[in-house]
Amino acid sequence: MEEDYIKLIFGLKLKQIRTDRNLSLFGLSKLSGLSKSYLNEIEKGKKYPKPDKIAILSEKLDVPYDQFVSLKLDKNLAPIGDILKSKILKEIPLDLFGIKESNLIEIIANAPAKVNAFISTIIEIAQHYSFSKESFYLASVRSFQEANNNYFEDLEQSVIKFAEAYQLDLKANISSLELEEILVEEYGYTINNKELENYKELDNLRSIFIPKTKTLLVANHIDEAQRTFIYAKEIAYNYLNYKERLYTFSWIKFENFDQVLNNFYASYFAGSLILPQELLTNQVEKLFKKKTFDEKQFVQIAQSFNASPESFYQRLTNILPKDFNIQNLFFLRFIHKKNSPNFYLTKELHLSHQHSPHANETNEHYCRRWMSLKVLKDIVDTNDKHVFNLQISNYPDSNQSYLVLSSATKDPFKTDQYRSVSIGLLINQQLKRKLNFLEDKKIETFNVGVTCERCAIKDCKERMVPSKLLDRQQRNLKIETVVNDIFKQFS
């Protein structure tokens, strides 16, 4: 174990023994002759006493010396020892959220039994839903995004400085050729567009970077927007000097949290470079000022950049909170295979709070009235390259409504598979002030739920299964009401 953890375990043991003896720090100081501040430092895991000091504590507290220095903890503190030995706290990106490891351990130590029960519950839930280390890392980054309203000024400024240094015009479309030249000339890259074709197992990969030779293997069948994004990410890794990084796109596995965080930063940098903030904000502002929603203009804005629909929607989640103060929003990405009844939510982001549409791990049926799913059905039926639509989704249970905009496209890497990306904006006074077209009568409103199993909408023609979970809750509520009446009657 690390030296810091050994100090922590000794401190936890001393604190438990002291409190078991009903001694205050002042009392232990008088008993042992050691200063109160010194004992406090020991209990907090900041100092490890010398053997002569341990001998004094052993004698005065009537605890065998060997028991004091043993790393074995008793029943109450054993879970904390397991946590420290597992090094799981090193996996958690505490610094990202301004939390000190010592503070967290102190919280655990103050109520070990309750915290142990809580941690055990979390672990059990994670195992039940196959929650991997990678999933934990991704969830941590997502929370980091949400805590910062998904806007990072330092990265935005880095993009501006990069563009100035390399004479890139942020008011014009940036091409893959421009970025490829920088990779080759400035960073010594070799671009290989043919090698990946020799490996059928790698059909789903868009690129692999070989650091030893600085060779970037790029799938030959990707389009211009995807190639530009890949090059922009590679530039970000180099320009921002990130040593810990991922070498495949899409990712296969993460070795540590820094790789995950840097992957996010590099992706953010790429999105900011390809969809510059000032240019995009100006175009969106013109759209928002119109009295009626101009679908053609919205699609034109998205297609005016050398970016995929997903990159465009993701970029909206950066600029809407910052430049329009629209902070209550969500982003969703679904995938759907032709002739399959299933829809899979593979990416989500919620700003300000957990909005109604969210990932569901209990094999329930997502509401078919969601625009995210409607556009997927439409693109399968029409076989178009791109399908866009919008609606106002009203959730009767929460009394909240969202303006939801969605686009669906074919998955370029999988046959008969499609993906949709959506952004939902909570309809409140702020949104009404910013979007003049929000009262447009042509925008349809639909009552929606989260899943069929929990939905109270009675006249839903799109329902896949009965609302069995909701029915069970209502049945239990009735039973509870009757039981309460009986208690009142016989009290």
Side-chain angles (χ1 to χ4, degrees):
M1 294 181 67
E2 296 181 19
E3 183 180 344
D4 288 345
Y5 284 173
I6 293 173
K7 290 179 185 176
L8 286 167
I9 286 179
F10 188 93
L12 290 171
K13 290 176 80 169
L14 177 60
K15 182 175 183 178
Q16 185 183 42
I17 292 167
R18 174 178 64 78
T19 52
D20 285 348
R21 303 291 194 277
N22 199 27
L23 280 169
S24 65
L25 271 173
F26 179 84
L28 180 58
S29 175
K30 286 193 70 175
L31 181 66
S32 64
L34 304 175
S35 74
K36 179 183 172 183
S37 60
Y38 178 63
L39 292 170
N40 187 44
E41 294 274 284
I42 294 173
E43 288 193 359
K44 290 187 178 228
K46 295 180 179 179
K47 289 185 178 178
Y48 191 89
K50 292 180 179 180
D52 60 323
K53 302 294 192 296
I54 297 175
I56 293 172
L57 292 170
S58 171
E59 178 189 349
K60 298 300 181 181
L61 293 171
D62 193 24
V63 175
Y65 186 97
D66 290 345
Q67 183 180 330
F68 246 132
V69 297
S70 169
L71 294 178
K72 186 177 180 180
L73 294 166
D74 71 9
K75 186 177 180 181
N76 284 339
L77 291 175
I80 301 172
D82 292 339
I83 292 169
L84 296 177
K85 289 174 185 175
S86 71
K87 297 187 179 180
I88 191 171
L89 294 181
K90 295 297 182 188
E91 303 282 2
I92 301 173
L94 298 173
D95 291 343
L96 200 63
F97 302 99
I99 301 171
K100 291 184 178 180
E101 187 178 316
S102 57
N103 292 344
L104 187 62
I105 291 171
E106 189 173 354
I107 292 170
I108 296 172
N110 285 334
K114 293 179 180 178
V115 175
N116 175 46
F118 174 73
I119 292 172
S120 299
T121 302
I122 296 299
I123 292 172
E124 187 175 339
I125 293 171
Q127 291 173 339
H128 185 67
Y129 293 115
S130 301
F131 195 74
S132 64
K133 182 171 74 173
E134 288 85 358
S135 298
F136 176 79
Y137 285 160
L138 290 169
S140 298
V141 170
R142 195 162 57 243
S143 297
F144 179 54
Q145 289 176 256
E146 293 165 4
N148 289 276
N149 281 325
N150 203 29
Y151 182 82
F152 298 86
E153 181 65 35
D154 55 338
L155 292 174
E156 300 284 352
Q157 292 303 317
S158 293
V159 166
I160 293 172
K161 290 178 182 177
F162 170 79
E164 290 175 353
Y166 290 90
Q167 289 297 287
L168 293 174
D169 186 0
L170 291 181
K171 293 182 180 179
N173 259 342
I174 293 175
S175 70
S176 64
L177 286 176
E178 290 179 278
L179 301 185
E180 181 174 327
E181 185 179 13
I182 295 172
L183 285 173
V184 173
E185 297 295 332
E186 182 73 9
Y187 298 114
Y189 272 51
T190 299
I191 311 294
N192 186 320
N193 296 304
K194 296 181 178 180
E195 184 64 25
L196 289 183
E197 293 180 5
N198 298 326
Y199 306 92
K200 291 183 179 179
E201 299 86 354
L202 305 182
D203 283 349
N204 293 332
L205 286 185
R206 305 179 196 182
S207 67
I208 300 177
F209 178 65
I210 314 297
K212 189 174 183 180
T213 58
K214 287 194 171 182
T215 301
L216 183 64
L217 308 179
V218 184
N220 194 38
H221 58 279
I222 63 174
D223 61 24
E224 167 65 8
Q226 292 165 339
R227 183 177 294 273
T228 303
F229 185 80
I230 290 169
Y231 288 170
K233 275 190 72 174
E234 289 299 322
I235 284 174
Y237 280 127
N238 287 275
Y239 184 73
L240 300 174
N241 198 29
Y242 292 148
K243 303 301 182 186
E244 291 287 348
R245 57 158 293 171
L246 301 177
Y247 297 102
T248 64
F249 182 58
S250 302
W251 64 272
I252 299 172
K253 66 175 182 177
F254 300 120
E255 297 295 339
N256 54 60
F257 180 73
D258 284 342
Q259 289 181 344
V260 187
L261 185 60
N262 291 341
N263 177 67
F264 163 68
Y265 285 152
S267 297
Y268 189 105
F269 181 99
S272 179
L273 179 62
I274 297 167
L275 296 114
Q277 180 178 358
E278 184 178 354
L279 186 60
L280 179 56
T281 296
N282 289 340
Q283 294 192 39
V284 170
E285 190 171 22
K286 292 176 184 176
L287 176 73
F288 284 179
K289 286 181 178 179
K290 291 195 170 184
K291 293 293 184 181
T292 58
F293 179 74
D294 191 334
E295 177 180 330
K296 185 177 180 181
Q297 184 179 355
F298 179 82
V299 174
Q300 282 179 343
I301 293 173
Q303 295 177 345
S304 67
F305 296 93
N306 188 12
S308 67
E310 179 169 346
S311 294
F312 174 72
Y313 278 73
Q314 287 266 32
R315 190 65 175 136
L316 288 178
T317 68
N318 304 140
I319 69 155
L320 292 181
K322 174 61 177 178
D323 294 334
F324 296 90
N325 201 24
I326 299 173
Q327 298 183 0
N328 286 281
L329 59 83
F330 63 80
F331 169 88
L332 305 176
R333 180 182 69 197
F334 276 91
I335 60 172
H336 172 62
K337 198 165 183 66
K338 190 175 183 179
N339 299 323
S340 169
N342 299 320
F343 297 85
Y344 299 98
L345 180 53
T346 57
K347 197 170 189 177
E348 63 177 324
L349 179 71
H350 300 262
L351 297 189
S352 290
H353 64 272
Q354 187 77 6
H355 301 278
S356 293
H358 49 76
N360 173 51
E361 299 288 351
T362 53
N363 296 319
E364 295 175 31
H365 295 77
Y366 292 111
C367 178
R368 263 45 179 182
R369 292 184 175 186
W370 285 3
M371 184 50 71
S372 303
L373 308 192
K374 287 180 181 179
V375 291
L376 282 171
K377 185 178 182 302
D378 289 344
I379 199 169
V380 170
D381 293 341
T382 61
N383 205 31
D384 290 340
K385 289 185 178 179
H386 176 230
V387 169
F388 169 81
N389 210 336
L390 81 163
Q391 72 179 36
I392 292 175
S393 293
N394 177 51
Y395 289 82
D397 288 345
S398 62
N399 199 30
Q400 291 181 326
S401 296
Y402 296 84
L403 175 69
V404 183
L405 304 96
S406 301
S407 287
T409 56
K410 291 181 179 179
D411 190 320
F413 299 98
K414 294 185 179 179
T415 305
D416 291 334
Q417 184 162 295
Y418 303 83
R419 61 178 63 175
S420 74
V421 286
S422 306
I423 188 168
L425 312 176
L426 180 67
I427 297 177
N428 53 21
Q429 290 303 315
Q430 176 65 7
L431 196 69
K432 291 175 181 177
R433 282 194 292 267
K434 295 294 181 179
L435 275 61
N436 288 343
F437 62 75
L438 204 54
E439 301 298 327
D440 186 351
K441 301 299 181 184
K442 293 180 181 178
I443 302 176
E444 294 185 287
T445 299
F446 293 88
N447 283 337
V448 300
V450 177
T451 66
C452 293
E453 286 83 348
R454 303 171 189 272
C455 184
I457 300 173
K458 299 296 184 184
D459 59 345
C460 182
K461 296 179 181 178
E462 294 84 4
R463 181 181 291 281
M464 301 296 293
V465 295
S467 55
K468 56 183 181 182
L469 295 177
L470 184 64
D471 293 342
R472 185 192 305 164
Q473 291 174 1
Q474 291 174 343
R475 189 165 57 250
N476 289 341
L477 186 60
K478 289 180 180 178
I479 293 172
E480 183 182 346
T481 301
V482 173
V483 169
N484 286 337
D485 289 342
I486 291 174
F487 269 102
K488 291 177 182 177
Q489 183 179 344
F490 289 93
S491 294

